[in-house]
Amino acid sequence: MIYEGKLLQEGKFVVHTSYFADHWFVFNTVSGELKVGSYRYEFENPKVLELGGGVMLDNAPELIADAFLYGPKLFVISNVGEKEYPEQRVLDIYDLETTNYIKSYILPKLQDSAPSEGFYIESDRIGLRYEDYLYFLQLE
């Protein structure tokens, strides 16, 4: 349950990003290698509670809002804000080959909302969904 998340595929990579744990997994379908990557933020795994014959997570915050792939890169819209920008979400980029962190971008609040989903559209631009709007941002 703590590994609930999103399954993505791009070329030879199959990636699972976890909403509640602080790591993600990448499987290379060509080499058969499985690697574990870590988000920039370290958190303890949430506790799983048994209630009435079922299970649920105990006050587990979602660490990521969305994830998407483009080529050999993982893009994560993080729910964990930077200290200087506590109310803004962050776009973190990771290398799928090495699982290394590459770079982050602070995402602007637009129309009084934060981005909830993203997609890659071309070499240096991404699309982000903010509630009822789509915005296209240029990456440096």
Side-chain angles (χ1 to χ4, degrees), residues 29-41:
T29 60
V30 174
S31 70
E33 185 177 20
L34 176 67
K35 291 185 179 182
V36 179
S38 294
Y39 296 134
R40 289 190 318 129
Y41 317 97

Side-chain angles (χ1 to χ4, degrees), residues 47-112:
K47 291 181 175 44
V48 178
L49 303 175
E50 291 186 38
L51 295 171
V55 293
M56 67 179 283
L57 295 179
D58 182 27
N59 294 321
E62 282 191 28
L63 301 178
I64 67 166
D66 193 29
F68 54 100
L69 303 176
Y70 182 74
K73 293 181 182 155
L74 169 65
F75 295 78
V76 174
I77 300 175
S78 176
N79 261 341
V80 181
E82 296 289 329
K83 288 181 183 178
E84 300 84 30
Y85 307 95
E87 298 198 12
Q88 291 177 253
R89 289 196 169 141
V90 179
L91 178 69
D92 296 320
I93 304 172
Y94 301 88
D95 183 284
L96 293 177
E97 294 277 358
T98 63
T99 70
N100 290 335
Y101 164 76
I102 298 173
K103 188 174 186 171
S104 292
Y105 295 93
I106 304 297
L107 299 174
K109 284 187 88 168
L110 301 170
Q111 303 291 333
D112 231 9

